[in-house]
Amino acid sequence: MMWRALQVMMEKEFKQILRDTVISRMLFVMPLIQLAVLANAATFEVKRAALWVVDLDQTPVATAMVDRLTASGRFYIAGSGMSPAQGERSLLDGRATAVLTIPQGFARDIGTSGRSTVQLVLNAVNGSQAGVTQGYATQIIARYAAELGARGAGPQGQSPTARPSVRPMVEVRTRGWYNASLDYRRFMVPGILVQLITMIGTLMTALNIVREKEAGTLEQLNVAPLSPGTFIAGKLLPLWIISLGVFSAGLLIAVFGFDVPMEGSLLLLYAGAALFLVGALGVGLWISTIADTQQQALFVTFAVLMVYILMSGLFTPVRGMPEWVRTLAQANPLLQFIALTRAIMLRGAEAMDVWREFLALGLIGPTVLALAIRQSRKSVA
Amino acid sequence: MPDPVVQIENVSKAFGATRALDQIAFSVSAGELFGLVGPDGAGKSTLFRILVSLLEADRGVVRVLGLDPVGDLWALRRQVGYMPGRFALYGDLTVRENLEFFAAVFGTSVEAEYTSIAPIYQQIERFADRRAGALSGGMKQKLALCCALVHRPAMLFLDEPTTGVDAVSRREFWDLLGTLRDSGLTTIVSTPYMDEAMRCDRVALMQTGRILAIDDPTRLGARFPRPLFGVHTRDRRRVLDLLRTLPLVTSVFPFGDIVHVSTARVTAHGDDLSDAALAEHLRDGLVAAGLGDAEVRPIDAGIEDLFMELMGTESTGAAS
């Protein structure tokens, strides 16, 4: 009889979710939008920076270097002139985000000593953007210098042994941990995928149960000889299956739409997702026990998810946080699952490599769920 | 008298400082249609929730079908049907799906129970494929009743089943309750409507957590302690104001077009007056104030008059 009740419960849940046009549409569209928008929006890539050029050298070598910068697509010339003061002003009034100053004798110095300096001043208000811009410029100029060296001669026909190099001197607070060549989308997509199923799993669980509270149907179910276990299983299993479905959809989009590699075992990834969702749904269940209306549930869910996401290392690196936060963050299932997903998808990690994450998820999920079930029994009886 | 199906002794329940139920006691016999009558906030829903095991009483003894709603919760839940105060079915499932769902939750099926719910279900069967949310108020209540009956409960609890339902549907619904009573099903039903109270075998009048009176509704009126008169008038407002100023008048309530006036029988001089003399006294007062067109007639008190009397509050608003 219990199995029959569970089956009927689940059937009812699926029917209701699929009939709710808003929710079912969201389930299909949300992965697409989140991945498409967030994956692109959440990259630290700087598309085209406005560059102001103060070329005091006026030699073909200097001009060629500026051409390299613009040809890379990373920079466009916002303006140029012979006055360093004018360059500074362009930075101040926002016409340019970077000012490149090429000193007089730049080409000559390369020709004679093989070394020279240029100055790159950056608007560092947005630190990460400045860092990336600096990275691009440094890279392009270094490549150009190497090319000059490979050609074996400066414009004045020096001996091939004198290896010239351009050493840009950059007056910015540098951020050493940036790797400008990293493909952020690849890196971000698995993280966003995880955040997506967290949102869907937690929010849907919380809203679903609170909706029955609001509608009064929970009271009707409570007088039925339906054990709390059957009720909770009947509620959570469909949502668990649906969340895994959304995860699959997101995975397809990630792999085929964003060229995110799937280096590791799909089975291992799903095992992680299944385990992770136990905790995510558990949090939803817990929220449903403390909220009486869907509005409250929504509010609490977002408060919880915010902490989750901020402490997951997805958008803000946990490394930069105080010691105690870093320790606490280890208990964040989102952080563990993001690490797991990245490891499996990008690095092709195997079970032996990610046992720590599995252990953490295996501890967190069931604990959260057990606490939530205890809480829900209290609030029902 | 057979053994009571429901027995309640000294049941009290408080929510914080609010006393929702205060020393409630009554019993309901097998096959009885028992009404809980009272305004919002009287404690009717709280009492229902205690009876169907959703809430625990602070004090007192509760027995439903011989079971303790706290200790024998699972046995009890299998045997009672409960319709909560507001529509509590799934609006996004069809009529048929709702019914099937609740049947399955109680471990049975619509097919197996068809004959027992047929008299009610047939009235909504033509909407079987319509979503419950799209039904009219009356139809929703019939479906809810079906769902409460689908597991063939030994007893039924209906919390204000006709609130927010149109007059015709209310009557139809009570006809169904009559049919169920005739089939021997014990039912406790609550209602704020006095006309519905009249259709119960017995009613308990409730107010702020206490029971004011319990009796056959037709006999409750006879408990009214003083002579009562009905005053027909066109100028209700002035008549109301005037009557309140007359000697001997103890209460004045408007009931639709009629004003109900109760009076003391014994004058200040110790004279014991007859109904006719009292009516004359009222008439004289009205004529003296230029309201001679008002008609005064002795009437029998109804359940509502008693209710007003027991509540002890004077209301100037429309009471019905």
Side-chain angles (χ1 to χ4, degrees):
Chain A
M1 186 223 134
M2 237 34 185
W3 286 113
R4 170 91 185 109
L6 178 64
Q7 189 196 331
V8 178
M9 229 3 242
M10 289 179 62
E11 239 173 70
K12 173 208 138 228
E13 290 303 325
F14 275 120
K15 267 185 201 160
Q16 285 188 299
I17 290 165
L18 294 177
R19 272 180 203 175
D20 190 320
T21 45
V22 176
I23 288 189
S24 52
R25 236 178 264 163
M26 277 290 277
L27 284 178
F28 288 105
V29 175
M30 199 148 112
L32 201 70
I33 294 185
Q34 282 235 336
L35 283 171
V37 174
L38 275 184
N40 284 304
T43 101
F44 296 108
E45 204 172 45
V46 178
K47 280 286 181 248
R48 275 159 57 92
L51 184 70
W52 188 280
V53 181
V54 181
D55 183 359
L56 302 173
D57 197 41
Q58 296 289 334
T59 58
V61 179
T63 314
M65 185 173 72
V66 173
D67 287 346
R68 289 301 168 90
L69 286 169
T70 54
S72 71
R74 301 292 188 194
F75 297 92
Y76 69 95
I77 306 293
S80 60
M82 298 294 284
S83 153
Q86 198 187 11
E88 227 168 86
R89 259 201 317 281
S90 75
L91 204 61
L92 280 174
D93 63 26
R95 270 178 297 162
T97 53
V99 177
L100 178 72
T101 308
I102 304 168
Q104 203 177 355
F106 168 76
R108 188 197 60 221
D109 288 351
I110 290 179
T112 55
S113 67
R115 318 177 64 88
S116 188
T117 56
V118 295
Q119 187 196 52
L120 188 70
V121 181
L122 288 153
N123 178 354
V125 170
N126 183 340
S128 52
Q129 203 179 42
V132 174
T133 310
Q134 176 217 342
Y136 292 150
T138 313
Q139 214 177 21
I140 294 163
I141 293 170
R143 213 180 300 139
Y144 174 63
E147 229 175 89
L148 286 177
R151 257 189 253 153
Q156 271 106 20
Q158 287 291 313
S159 71
T161 46
R163 304 190 69 83
S165 65
V166 180
R167 282 278 171 87
M169 200 205 79
V170 183
E171 287 183 1
V172 281
R173 287 157 287 279
T174 53
R175 307 232 157 183
W177 45 269
Y178 267 118
N179 176 359
S181 68
L182 187 67
D183 183 345
Y184 283 99
R185 282 205 307 198
R186 257 183 205 202
F187 188 66
M188 289 308 289
V189 163
I192 288 164
L193 192 59
V194 172
Q195 177 241 336
L196 177 81
I197 64 162
T198 313
M199 246 168 93
I200 286 181
T202 305
L203 194 60
M204 287 227 316
T205 309
L207 288 185
N208 187 297
I209 298 175
V210 172
R211 201 167 64 142
E212 293 229 16
K213 250 194 220 183
E214 269 185 334
T217 46
L218 194 61
E219 185 149 308
Q220 191 83 74
L221 283 181
N222 282 343
V223 290
L226 193 66
S227 75
T230 313
F231 172 76
I232 289 170
K235 277 282 171 200
L236 295 192
L237 278 176
L239 295 171
W240 186 73
I241 292 169
I242 286 172
S243 301
L244 280 175
V246 172
F247 182 68
S248 309
L251 207 57
L252 285 175
I253 297 171
V255 172
F256 293 104
F258 290 99
D259 274 338
V260 176
M262 183 63 225
E263 303 283 355
S265 151
L266 210 55
L267 197 69
L268 200 61
L269 187 62
Y270 271 93
L275 205 53
F276 168 74
L277 279 170
V278 171
L281 300 192
V283 172
L285 179 65
W286 174 76
I287 292 170
S288 79
T289 63
I290 61 168
D292 289 324
T293 65
Q294 291 189 68
Q295 249 172 359
Q296 289 173 358
L298 203 65
F299 188 68
V300 178
T301 305
F302 273 100
V304 170
L305 283 184
M306 216 54 163
V307 177
Y308 250 11
I309 291 169
L310 285 180
M311 282 179 62
S312 70
L314 181 58
F315 298 116
T316 45
V318 173
R319 253 168 304 183
M321 294 179 185
E323 175 77 36
W324 65 272
V325 178
R326 267 182 287 163
T327 313
L328 205 64
Q330 293 306 307
N332 182 354
L334 207 58
L335 177 133
Q336 299 290 351
F337 189 45
I338 289 175
L340 186 74
T341 309
R342 279 179 182 158
I344 295 174
M345 290 184 76
L346 306 180
R347 294 209 315 266
E350 288 173 22
M352 288 310 292
D353 307 317
V354 286
W355 67 269
R356 271 192 199 81
E357 283 83 359
F358 266 103
L359 182 68
L361 289 176
L363 285 175
I364 299 164
T367 307
V368 169
L369 186 64
L371 288 176
I373 288 174
R374 233 186 75 187
Q375 174 79 19
S376 78
R377 283 206 177 141
K378 254 191 239 164
S379 66
V380 165
Chain B
M1 204 187 222
D3 274 352
V5 174
V6 172
Q7 187 150 29
I8 305 173
E9 288 162 23
N10 291 324
V11 166
S12 296
K13 176 80 191 174
F15 297 106
T18 314
R19 311 202 66 167
L21 292 177
D22 190 6
Q23 307 253 330
I24 299 285
F26 64 82
S27 59
V28 177
S29 317
E32 228 182 339
L33 178 56
F34 188 88
L36 293 173
V37 181
D40 289 348
K44 303 185 303 271
S45 295
T46 305
L47 186 54
F48 271 116
R49 291 171 56 82
I50 289 173
L51 289 171
V52 298
S53 82
L54 285 173
L55 203 62
E56 212 174 308
D58 294 340
R59 270 189 310 282
V61 180
V62 181
R63 287 288 176 277
V64 176
L65 301 165
L67 300 167
D68 171 12
V70 180
D72 310 317
L73 160 143
W74 294 108
L76 179 68
R77 287 180 179 182
R78 250 181 279 279
Q79 293 183 50
V80 300
Y82 169 52
M83 220 175 118
R86 50 201 181 119
F87 180 67
L89 300 174
Y90 297 102
D92 43 7
L93 296 185
T94 66
V95 167
R96 180 83 188 180
E97 284 167 345
N98 266 294
L99 203 52
E100 274 167 354
F101 175 72
F102 283 102
V105 162
F106 279 93
T108 180
S109 67
V110 176
E111 287 72 31
E113 307 297 332
Y114 191 82
T115 48
S116 67
I117 56 166
I120 301 158
Y121 186 54
Q122 274 161 5
Q123 297 195 17
I124 50 172
E125 200 163 16
R126 65 204 150 105
F127 302 121
D129 293 324
R130 187 180 290 188
R131 299 223 176 144
L135 292 175
S136 69
M139 290 293 170
K140 275 182 185 165
Q141 295 312 84
K142 282 176 192 167
L143 173 58
L145 184 61
C146 264
C147 289
L149 284 170
V150 74
H151 59 293
R152 225 182 296 179
M155 128 143 251
L156 201 55
F157 294 93
L158 310 172
D159 190 1
E160 296 202 3
T162 56
T163 298
V165 172
D166 67 89
V168 175
S169 299
R170 280 204 309 155
R171 177 161 318 177
E172 284 176 7
F173 193 86
W174 275 87
D175 288 343
L176 289 176
L177 294 190
T179 312
L180 290 173
R181 191 242 324 259
D182 294 344
S183 73
L185 186 67
T186 314
T187 304
I188 298 185
V189 58
S190 69
T191 176
Y193 303 115
M194 300 297 160
D195 58 325
E196 294 185 348
M198 295 308 292
R199 302 187 64 159
C200 298
D201 294 326
R202 281 194 307 148
V203 296
L205 300 186
M206 284 185 78
Q207 160 78 1
T208 57
R210 286 177 300 117
I211 289 184
L212 306 175
I214 301 181
D215 209 338
D216 181 323
T218 56
R219 281 206 298 267
L220 274 172
R223 292 191 181 193
F224 195 80
R226 290 182 306 281
L228 189 71
F229 302 91
V231 179
H232 284 263
T233 175
R234 266 174 305 174
D235 197 350
R236 211 176 57 158
R237 173 56 44 192
R238 280 187 62 206
V239 165
L240 274 172
D241 290 341
L242 176 84
L243 286 170
R244 291 205 172 97
T245 66
L246 291 180
L248 294 181
V249 168
T250 49
S251 71
V252 182
F253 291 111
F255 277 77
D257 297 338
I258 311 174
V259 176
H260 286 197
V261 189
S262 70
T263 66
R265 201 177 275 289
V266 182
T267 66
H269 311 297
D271 299 332
D272 197 339
L273 300 179
S274 67
D275 282 3
L278 285 166
E280 197 54 45
H281 161 69
L282 294 175
R283 216 168 284 126
D284 289 348
L286 289 163
V287 169
L291 293 159
D293 66 317
E295 254 177 69
V296 182
R297 197 180 293 152
I299 54 169
D300 289 332
I303 189 170
E304 203 158 0
D305 295 301
L306 180 71
F307 200 88
M308 292 298 197
E309 176 70 19
L310 295 176
M311 272 167 64
T313 55
E314 193 161 304
S315 149
T316 47
S320 59

